[in-house]
Amino acid sequence: MVEYLIFSVLNTLVLGMLLFMLSSGLTLIFSMMGVLNFAHASFYMLGAYFGYQITTVAGFWSALIISPLLVGILGAAVERYGLRTVHKYGHVAELLFTLGLFFIIEEGVNLIWGRNAMPNFIPASLDFPLFTLFNSEFSAFRAFMLLISVAIFIGLYLVLTRTRIGLIIQAALTHPEGVNALGHNVPAVFMMVFGGGSALAGLAGVIGGIFLITEPSMALTLGPIVFVVIVVGGMGSLTGAFVASLLLAGLQTFAVGLEYSLVDLLGIIGVTVNADGILRDIWRIQLSHIGPILPYLFMVLMLMFRPKGLLGKREN
Amino acid sequence: MNTKVLKSLIGMVCFAMMAAASAMASDTVKIAYIDPLSGPFAAVGDSGYRHFQYNAELINAKGGVLGGKKLEIVAFDNKISAKESLIQLKNAIDQGIQIIIQGNGSSVAGALISAIEKHNNRNPDKPVVYLNFAAIDPAFTNEKCSFWHFRFDASVDMKIAAITDYIKETPKIKKVYLINQDYVFGHSVSSSAKAMLAEKCPKVEIVGDTFTPLGKVKDFSPYIAKIKASGADTIITGNWGADMSLLVKAGKDAGLNVRYLTLYGNGLGAPRAIAEAGIDKLVTVVEWHINLSVEENKPEDEKFFLDYQKKYSNDGEMPYYYGRARTTMEMLADAINKAGTDNPRAIAFALEGMEHDTPYGKVQMRSQDHQLIQPLYLAVYAKADGGSVKYDSENTGIGFKTIKRIEGEATAMPTTCQMERPEK
């Protein structure tokens, strides 16, 4: 039991921090520009494919640096030459623009790399068990993922709270018009935030592509959960995204171990139900079966009872 | 009546007669291939299309059917949705196609079976026959069986029977964990496995029976932790696609040392994602694999699949995989020739009970339930060494080797099918 608990906590941390890397960029973009960037997970996918391609030529460590830079530049270019032009037509146009971009990137990846998964594996220098606890292994690559994402969290936190540009971004999160009126070059800040957010997604991609599978549907599988994270965490709140990532990862991880169904739960309080008839499928579902869907349930509840999210500041 | 009108009338009649004649003398037999050609399963559907295309070309090169008619595969994209498949079935029928091939997704196959049954009852003069090459819900050859449906892949219970026989013969296996996708197919894997284990090897303990939502799990580590805590030495799973690859990847990460007995562990895309993690551990029930021709010394079949790889595999990235595509097409061609017509009713009657020689032995389309009875193999991931593991899959350096051959008769399962046959 102790073994199971410890490893569940570690797994929660690994998955949670991967989610955080993805959602931190998205939440900043969302709250600054009001754009729900559907293509964010596509930048994550591009990061994975670039990472794989660079790894085959120059090794993993180069890929870890070059791939996020490439994706960041691409993101900045998309903002500068795409979103900024569409911006004057309002939020719906921007939303449609990013949705289109999502499809274009997915089909582009299909065309260039094909529909099959890429043989993207853990680099040899990190492919060993870091420690063995109660005869379960914890791989060095997972520890490395944790390290990177913690470093990013601290780095982002310092940039946002201790630097001038961070202050402007912070201000733009809550009072974008005010910042504009004070004479700051808000479009340039937008471009930087979009590029930076994309680069973070790219970095998550380099690591996530190895951790999960590098394939054209990877954007689609991780996209929705990232939106859940920023809604639950509260838009614009980095700490919120951090807490929500860990919370949702924990929810998924721990639910797997709980084999209780509604019948068992009612049994605890002394109610017995006849688990037959038309509702029998509902009675028999165990918590462990629906673990991966719980975050979405959580999002719906959050929107109903606390629409600004856990740590969000704005109501609208 | 003035001559102008008369002339144009004569012209129209001539044109109509010509059109009718050309339709009658049509020198092709069209076959509709309905499978996903876009979306997340496009890679698999597209590869299947090429398999059938290739087999049709080979048959045509040998003179086609009925003394010179050519087979033509027409592709329809169903996006792996049952609803979309019915629309495409209608399209195919409207184009005058009466032979349907489909494989991916038991939900799709179930919808097609009932739609075709309905269509054939209403249009007894223009029936449709359905060749299923991959949807393996046992119901299709039991309670839901149909005269118009023929299955060329082994059903879930046949594959699980092969797996449980292997467990019985391997005394090392003591604790089994079942992990499957939470939908009709995954549940049938779980229930067949439980029933057969209880019957064949009551001493083997089932230490877990978990269902995961289809395609939703990103990190299988929590499940691996649970499997580890259960002390299992073997996993039985029907998972396919990313659910299969991610399970083995997470297992390797946590140093989980178990045998995986699977239905789709060698599926298209899996060797790339799993690679070394599967060596000597990941076993799959198949009717064909990439080194079978070498192991059983069948140079003709070796040439057959190598020619395919040269032409259609994108330099080996999407290798030959559906061994049964060849059986399906060859038996279809034989049935058309035996019936002496491309009328689906005659084809269906000709297929019933038909025997066919494949490179790996005799196979038979059982007439009670239209299930093909063929030899099955348990194959395990192995490093390609140039010896008996001569070829690798998907350019990974990793191929498969047979650990057990199961003869056709031994795979046959009893059926409850009460087939209703039309008049001949």
Side-chain angles (χ1 to χ4, degrees):
Chain A
M1 194 61 200
V2 181
E3 174 190 2
Y4 178 73
L5 272 180
I6 290 177
F7 274 89
S8 292
V9 169
L10 285 173
N11 289 331
T12 302
L13 284 176
V14 171
L15 183 62
M17 292 313 276
L18 180 71
L19 286 180
F20 170 70
M21 262 196 274
L22 260 174
S23 50
S24 52
L26 185 64
T27 196
L28 287 181
I29 292 170
F30 182 31
S31 47
M32 274 201 83
M33 315 173 66
V35 182
L36 198 52
N37 181 13
F38 272 103
H40 195 71
S42 307
F43 288 117
Y44 157 78
M45 172 159 77
L46 280 181
Y49 275 92
F50 287 168
Y52 162 71
Q53 211 60 60
I54 297 168
T55 303
T56 54
V57 181
F60 172 74
W61 301 101
S62 320
L64 194 65
I65 296 166
I66 300 173
S67 171
L69 284 179
L70 282 179
V71 178
I73 293 169
L74 202 68
V78 163
E79 202 283 332
R80 175 70 185 78
Y81 300 104
L83 270 180
R84 201 175 290 181
T85 329
V86 182
H87 187 65
K88 53 178 168 285
Y89 301 110
H91 284 333
V92 175
E94 288 177 317
L95 196 76
L96 291 176
F97 175 80
T98 61
L99 190 62
L101 198 63
F102 168 82
F103 287 115
I104 290 171
I105 293 179
E106 185 174 310
E107 280 309 309
V109 165
N110 268 334
L111 282 176
I112 298 172
W113 285 283
R115 292 186 165 119
N116 216 339
M118 293 287 119
N120 197 0
F121 297 110
I122 298 178
S125 49
L126 288 172
D127 195 10
F128 60 93
L130 188 67
F131 58 86
T132 306
L133 203 67
F134 312 104
N135 70 55
S136 267
E137 289 168 4
F138 191 71
S139 77
F141 187 72
R142 277 169 190 251
F144 174 73
M145 280 178 72
L146 265 181
L147 200 73
I148 290 266
S149 37
V150 170
I152 282 182
F153 178 64
I154 296 174
L156 266 183
Y157 189 80
L158 289 180
V159 166
L160 284 180
T161 54
R162 298 277 185 275
T163 64
R164 192 176 155 72
I165 188 75
L167 288 179
I168 299 171
I169 293 174
Q170 286 249 48
L173 289 182
T174 44
H175 303 89
E177 295 87 3
V179 176
N180 212 354
L182 282 172
H184 290 292
N185 187 357
V186 171
V189 174
F190 276 8
M191 188 174 86
M192 212 183 60
V193 169
F194 204 94
S198 307
L200 280 181
L203 180 64
V206 177
I207 299 172
I210 296 173
F211 178 56
L212 304 172
I213 302 176
T214 307
E215 57 174 354
S217 62
M218 63 189 291
L220 198 63
T221 50
L222 219 55
I225 188 98
V226 178
F227 285 117
V228 177
V229 169
I230 65 165
V231 169
V232 171
M235 68 181 212
S237 167
L238 205 59
T239 331
F242 181 74
V243 173
S245 301
L246 288 180
L247 192 71
L248 293 182
L251 202 61
Q252 291 193 45
T253 308
F254 279 95
V256 166
L258 302 172
E259 295 198 319
Y260 296 111
S261 63
L262 272 176
V263 180
D264 301 326
L265 286 181
L266 291 174
I268 295 172
I269 54 169
V271 181
T272 50
V273 283
N274 182 13
D276 274 323
I278 198 161
L279 290 175
R280 65 179 183 279
D281 284 333
I282 294 178
W283 293 122
R284 77 155 181 92
I285 294 176
Q286 294 175 346
L287 206 50
S288 56
H289 297 189
I290 54 166
I293 311 170
L294 283 178
Y296 302 98
L297 181 71
F298 198 65
M299 177 174 78
V300 171
L301 293 177
M302 190 57 105
L303 283 173
M304 281 165 73
F305 298 110
R306 196 181 158 86
K308 65 178 177 181
L310 283 178
L311 296 169
K313 294 193 183 80
R314 278 201 290 186
E315 285 287 351
N316 56 348
Chain B
M1 197 186 282
N2 69 34
T3 47
K4 218 174 181 182
V5 173
L6 195 67
K7 263 185 189 167
S8 65
L9 257 179
I10 292 172
M12 272 164 69
V13 169
C14 286
F15 182 77
M17 278 167 66
M18 268 160 61
S22 81
M24 269 193 296
S26 136
D27 49 1
T28 58
V29 176
K30 284 192 180 177
I31 300 159
Y33 173 82
I34 303 181
D35 246 7
L37 300 170
S38 63
F41 299 100
V44 175
D46 186 53
S47 174
Y49 172 58
R50 295 181 197 195
H51 279 68
F52 284 100
Q53 183 71 29
Y54 173 66
N55 278 293
E57 279 167 19
L58 288 186
I59 291 169
N60 292 340
K62 281 186 204 145
V65 292
L66 300 176
K69 280 196 181 188
K70 304 273 186 251
L71 298 178
E72 184 190 341
I73 310 280
V74 186
F76 294 86
D77 178 13
N78 72 359
K79 307 183 175 79
I80 207 153
S81 125
K83 199 178 77 193
E84 193 73 25
S85 304
L86 297 185
I87 298 171
Q88 298 300 354
L89 172 69
K90 185 85 181 37
N91 275 344
I93 292 173
D94 287 348
Q95 293 182 23
I97 302 176
Q98 290 177 283
I99 302 167
I100 308 285
I101 288 179
Q102 182 271 345
N104 288 296
S106 283
S107 52
V108 171
L112 280 180
I113 289 177
S114 37
I116 287 173
E117 186 84 18
K118 223 180 268 171
H119 170 88
N120 291 353
N121 282 338
R122 287 178 191 160
N123 308 280
D125 51 329
K126 269 194 108 35
V128 169
V129 65
Y130 166 31
L131 312 178
N132 162 7
F133 72 97
I136 61 172
D137 183 346
F140 304 155
T141 45
N142 285 293
E143 63 270 23
K144 270 194 187 164
C145 69
S146 157
F147 172 74
W148 305 101
H149 163 257
F150 293 87
R151 170 152 62 198
F152 291 84
D153 193 6
S155 66
V156 169
D157 46 355
M158 293 163 79
K159 293 188 180 186
I160 293 295
I163 285 176
T164 44
D165 279 342
Y166 173 72
I167 291 177
K168 194 176 165 189
E169 291 156 15
T170 315
K172 270 188 294 184
I173 299 177
K174 296 199 170 68
K175 289 182 174 178
V176 174
Y177 198 103
L178 310 173
I179 179 162
N180 289 291
Q181 292 151 327
D182 200 2
Y183 77 114
V184 56
F185 163 71
H187 282 274
S188 68
V189 171
S190 162
S191 56
S192 304
K194 275 188 282 192
M196 288 186 200
L197 280 176
E199 187 199 316
K200 288 181 195 166
C201 21
K203 276 195 186 149
V204 171
E205 193 186 340
I206 297 173
V207 290
D209 181 15
T210 299
F211 295 98
T212 62
L214 180 61
K216 288 269 187 310
V217 180
K218 282 157 268 314
D219 180 11
F220 270 90
S221 305
Y223 296 96
I224 297 292
K226 203 168 147 187
I227 292 168
K228 227 168 183 175
S230 75
D233 52 34
T234 300
I235 290 174
I236 296 181
T237 177
N239 284 11
W240 47 270
D243 285 338
M244 181 72 240
S245 311
L246 287 171
L247 175 69
V248 181
K249 272 188 124 175
K252 180 186 180 249
D253 248 14
L256 179 69
N257 190 18
V258 297
R259 233 176 252 97
Y260 296 87
L261 303 178
T262 73
L263 271 56
Y264 292 112
N266 72 332
L268 286 169
R272 276 232 188 157
I274 294 169
E276 311 241 318
I279 290 182
D280 290 332
K281 280 188 181 159
L282 185 54
V283 179
T284 312
V285 188
V286 291
E287 82 290 351
W288 187 91
H289 66 81
I290 204 155
N291 287 306
L292 197 55
S293 57
V294 182
E295 286 171 355
E296 300 214 350
N297 193 20
K298 308 283 182 197
E300 183 267 332
D301 191 52
E302 191 174 354
K303 183 178 178 310
F304 166 84
F305 95 82
L306 286 178
D307 282 350
Y308 173 87
Q309 311 245 96
K310 239 179 255 156
K311 204 165 168 189
Y312 286 117
S313 71
N314 200 7
D315 293 328
E317 264 181 35
M318 287 302 262
Y320 197 77
Y321 168 72
Y322 294 112
R324 52 196 182 262
R326 182 178 187 183
T327 316
T328 309
M329 289 302 284
E330 287 180 353
M331 286 183 76
L332 174 65
D334 285 356
I336 293 175
N337 284 332
K338 185 176 153 199
T341 160
D342 58 1
N343 178 305
R345 187 192 321 271
I347 294 174
F349 275 112
L351 269 177
E352 273 199 316
M354 177 183 262
E355 287 189 350
H356 180 74
D357 285 314
T358 73
Y360 306 99
K362 213 179 226 24
V363 300
Q364 195 200 13
M365 180 53 75
R366 189 158 73 172
S367 38
Q368 295 103 295
D369 58 351
H370 295 184
Q371 168 68 53
L372 187 76
I373 305 295
Q374 59 189 334
L376 292 177
Y377 297 86
L378 292 179
V380 69
Y381 273 50
K383 199 147 201 103
D385 55 8
S388 66
V389 190
K390 187 169 170 188
Y391 298 106
D392 67 332
S393 192
E394 304 179 4
N395 303 332
T396 51
I398 287 159
F400 309 105
K401 70 173 181 218
T402 302
I403 51 175
K404 189 185 171 197
R405 175 183 158 118
I406 305 133
E407 296 305 325
E409 309 87 72
T411 71
M413 304 289 289
T415 172
T416 59
C417 171
Q418 304 280 336
M419 194 160 304
E420 284 174 28
R421 290 180 173 75
E423 299 207 358
K424 245 187 185 171

